[in-house]
Amino acid sequence: MNLFNDLLNWLNDLFLPPAKSTLAHQTDALFWFVHLSSFVLTIGLIAVIVYFIIKYRRQSEDEVTPLITHNNQLEVTWSVIPLILVIVVFGWGYKVFVNQQVVPDDAYEVNVTAQKWLWRFEYENGATSTGQLHVPEDRPVKLVMSSNDVIHSFFVPAFRIKQDVVPGRYTEMWFNAPDPGEAQVFCTEYCGTGHSDMMATVVVHEQGEFEDWLAENSGGGSKPDDLSPAEWGEQLTQQNACRTCHSIDGSKMTGPSWKGIFGHEATLSDGSTVTVDENYIRESILEPEAKIVEGYQAGLMPTYQGQLNDKQINAIIEYIKTLK
Ligand code: CUA
């Protein structure tokens, strides 16, 4: 058994992302069992074919192949061995599947909301975070997920878990990360322009540190003491995935660049002009469809109504002012 584990660890390091959840080890063990037994069978089969080709090749002109109708022993053997393998894989797979599906009763619950193109997390005490899922180490965490717009999918390769996130209904998933650290989250259902940037990080806190983080963030959206308003604004634009569509270096992306826009005039799609000031930016964040800049497509930007509070919007405006 130890040898099997050593072999597993070696193969994991070589081919798979590091396994960072309790379920990951179960999934990997089954994964490698299926692959290694298939590998051994394939090699064995090819070896037998090659041996037969050479041994039973036609060696003289008048050679006649004898008539063989069947061989009971052989046929039973090659039916029973695969049958046993299939039963083992089914039973093993069923056990791992049930472990994945049945959420432990004491799981800590986090609400997950997906929207183009970001992940938001809401905790039991009202704290929220965007782009970072904070969880305690060595405790089951249940994710209750839904989408504000299209179908997304929450995928954490290091945890070996993946689940669609669908508008209009809730889907669930759970994991237990035994060690502190970080794991990458991807959206794995194509959801539009920003799909490949729709990422987040799972931050696994040490025992006790998670409670500290929760307490610090229970206010839900007030400025961290060590940041200036503009610095906080910059952080918010990253957490809320604004920069997926808005560059800060003047290059044209899905939305207008922010470089040097504050205080300047923008031409709208109906030909009128507007001065980019606090009111215009605020309106664009809350009602993105109200004014569309010439040369850009309507209907792409989601509203941040109910997602960003006034203080956060002010901080983002302060940040945009600094982009000269
Ligand atoms: Cu969200 Cu792809």
Side-chain angles (χ1 to χ4, degrees):
M1 202 59 205
N2 238 339
L3 191 74
F4 183 62
N5 277 336
D6 288 347
L7 178 69
L8 277 192
N9 288 335
W10 179 75
L11 285 169
N12 271 3
D13 291 346
L14 211 56
F15 294 109
L16 296 176
K20 294 180 182 169
S21 78
T22 49
L23 283 173
H25 299 285
Q26 298 178 19
T27 311
D28 291 355
L30 176 57
F31 175 84
W32 286 119
F33 176 76
V34 171
H35 275 72
L36 291 178
S37 51
S38 306
F39 183 72
V40 169
L41 283 174
T42 307
I43 295 294
L45 204 64
I46 292 172
V48 170
I49 290 173
V50 170
Y51 172 74
F52 282 179
I53 287 174
I54 295 166
K55 179 155 193 227
Y56 297 109
R57 70 187 188 280
R58 196 177 188 204
Q59 296 191 48
S60 66
E61 279 295 311
D62 51 349
E63 196 178 323
V64 179
T65 309
L67 179 70
I68 303 169
T69 55
H70 64 286
N71 181 328
N72 280 337
Q73 241 183 347
L74 199 61
E75 284 164 23
V76 168
T77 310
W78 77 44
S79 301
V80 167
I81 292 177
L83 182 70
I84 292 173
L85 266 177
V86 168
I87 289 174
V88 167
V89 170
F90 175 80
W92 192 345
Y94 181 74
K95 195 171 151 254
V96 175
F97 177 75
V98 168
N99 288 344
Q100 265 177 4
Q101 292 297 309
V102 180
V103 185
D105 287 337
D106 59 341
Y108 180 81
E109 211 171 295
V110 180
N111 269 294
V112 180
T113 309
Q115 74 173 60
K116 294 192 275 185
W117 287 280
L118 58 93
W119 298 100
R120 279 171 53 79
F121 306 99
E122 250 175 276
Y123 306 82
E124 279 168 2
N125 75 340
T128 60
S129 61
T130 307
Q132 281 190 330
L133 168 58
H134 294 262
V135 297
E137 66 167 336
D138 201 18
R139 186 169 166 195
V141 175
K142 175 184 177 182
L143 304 179
V144 180
M145 310 187 289
S146 92
S147 167
N148 280 344
D149 37 47
V150 298
I151 303 176
H152 302 271
S153 187
F154 195 86
F155 179 33
V156 192
F159 293 172
R160 312 285 191 268
I161 53 170
K162 175 158 76 172
Q163 174 69 55
D164 276 8
V165 182
V166 182
R169 61 173 287 195
Y170 295 98
T171 50
E172 289 177 358
M173 187 164 69
W174 80 278
F175 62 85
N176 182 345
D179 301 308
E182 294 194 344
Q184 181 70 52
V185 180
F186 295 99
C187 178
T188 184
E189 183 68 52
Y190 182 66
C191 55
T193 318
H195 162 69
S196 59
D197 283 317
M198 190 169 166
M199 293 189 267
T201 312
V202 185
V203 181
V204 184
H205 290 274
E206 262 172 51
Q207 220 53 263
E209 265 181 25
F210 174 68
E211 286 70 19
D212 294 345
W213 180 89
L214 265 190
E216 263 171 48
N217 289 274
S218 60
S222 29
K223 184 175 80 66
D225 291 335
D226 54 338
L227 296 181
S228 73
E231 283 167 345
W232 187 38
E234 179 177 13
Q235 196 186 66
L236 288 167
T237 62
Q238 283 161 350
Q239 290 170 349
N240 287 282
C242 309
R243 304 260 285 275
T244 307
C245 300
H246 299 281
S247 79
I248 56 169
D249 61 2
S251 57
K252 183 171 174 173
M253 293 166 80
T254 307
S257 175
W258 289 343
K259 183 184 163 75
I261 57 164
F262 195 85
H264 283 69
E265 299 245 305
T267 308
L268 303 180
S269 52
D270 62 0
S272 62
T273 58
V274 64
T275 305
V276 178
D277 59 5
E278 285 89 346
N279 284 318
Y280 168 76
I281 296 175
R282 183 187 163 80
E283 183 187 54
S284 296
I285 293 172
L286 298 177
E287 295 171 55
E289 298 302 301
K291 296 188 173 71
I292 301 295
V293 176
E294 191 179 34
Y296 292 92
Q297 218 181 315
L300 286 181
M301 176 161 162
T303 173
Y304 285 82
Q305 188 93 50
Q307 315 250 1
L308 291 169
N309 64 31
D310 287 349
K311 279 185 265 174
Q312 292 170 318
I313 292 173
N314 290 342
I316 290 172
I317 294 171
E318 287 309 310
Y319 168 59
I320 292 176
K321 283 181 186 173
T322 67
L323 302 170
K324 300 231 163 62

